[in-house]
Amino acid sequence: MDIAAEKKRLRALALGRRAAMGETGRAAASRAAAGQALAAAGAIQGRTVALFAPFRDEIDTAPLASALRDAGAVLALPVIIARDQPLLFRRWDKDIPLVPTGAFRIPEPGPEAPDIVPDLLLVPLAAFDRRGFRIGYGAGFYDRTLALLRARRPVRAIGFAFACQEVDEVPVETHDEPVDMMVTQIEAWAVGPRA
């Protein structure tokens, strides 16, 4: 099997399903997923949680950001330093303006926001399976970032997406970093340990 071709096929399939949800459906599902994620995260007061700014029709993290702030979490957002580098995270306080950056104009905190290392990462994705493997958008940012963070200390990664993005099985390559938990608008589940 050509893994790259299969990942491309599964990405297109899952993204097509996500787009078909429509704006109203995605908004309602994003609110429901925020409740699932907050319950799954456990005690988060004073812990640093890295979210992501949604891109195109990704799940909206704004409802979750509001709930996490109310629960006392410290929030962070990823910053792309260079194409082949891990992500950097900057603290995201409510009053810090976000700056659309890069080719895709994804909002991120500016350089005046302090760098911060998250305890918990909400990971965006195009497709996922029940084992916790995910297909991103092809640049490998989260795989590199999770590998680096996990080499330094324990960190929890939670895949955050709509249920319709689930596929039967994601083909796995050696560099693929699975998440520890998946959260959708319908359910949250921990994935098992890996060999």
Side-chain angles (χ1 to χ4, degrees), residues 84-195:
D84 293 324
Q85 296 297 313
L87 297 165
L88 174 73
F89 295 91
R90 290 191 182 135
R91 185 173 173 133
W92 177 36
D93 292 323
K94 194 172 185 175
D95 58 344
I96 291 181
L98 299 179
V99 181
T101 307
F104 299 110
R105 311 300 293 157
I106 298 173
E108 57 188 46
E112 69 283 355
D115 294 352
I116 194 166
V117 178
D119 301 304
L120 177 69
L121 279 83
L122 272 284
V123 181
L125 52 89
F128 67 90
D129 68 20
R130 286 269 154 180
R131 302 170 303 155
F133 287 101
R134 54 179 281 283
I135 298 173
Y137 299 100
F141 286 114
Y142 277 90
D143 290 320
R144 281 189 296 279
T145 302
L146 287 170
L148 176 69
L149 290 174
R150 287 170 168 164
R152 293 180 176 169
R153 66 184 183 94
V155 63
R156 263 175 81 201
I158 297 177
F160 192 57
F162 299 118
C164 67
Q165 293 172 253
E166 182 176 350
V167 296
D168 288 337
E169 186 174 327
V170 168
V172 179
E173 298 175 87
T174 56
H175 66 270
D176 289 333
E177 289 283 331
V179 295
D180 303 297
M181 175 175 277
M182 271 304 308
V183 174
T184 71
Q185 76 274 24
I186 297 170
E187 62 183 323
W189 68 94
V191 297
R194 279 151 197 87

Side-chain angles (χ1 to χ4, degrees), residues 11 20-21 28-29 47 59 102 111 113 122 126 135 139 147 188 194:
R11 182 184 297 117
M21 290 176 70
R47 298 186 69 210
I59 192 166
L122 272 284
I135 298 173
R194 279 151 197 87

